[in-house]
Amino acid sequence: MPSPRAALVAVTALAPAVWGTTYVVTTVLLPPDRPLF
């Protein structure tokens, strides 16, 4: 089982990694003629 500090570092690193995928999602995966909302 990872230490609490290692778990905290993993969760902290996960947020920017997920945020970094938003550009790919909006430019590649969404249809070009429809807005997100």
Side-chain angles (χ1 to χ4, degrees):
M1 184 168 167
S3 68
R5 181 169 172 86
L8 179 64
V9 169
V11 169
T12 304
L14 183 65
V18 171
W19 183 261
T21 63
T22 56
Y23 178 77
V24 174
V25 169
T26 55
T27 57
V28 175
L29 299 178
L30 290 177
D33 58 342
R34 293 177 49 192
L36 183 59
F37 295 109

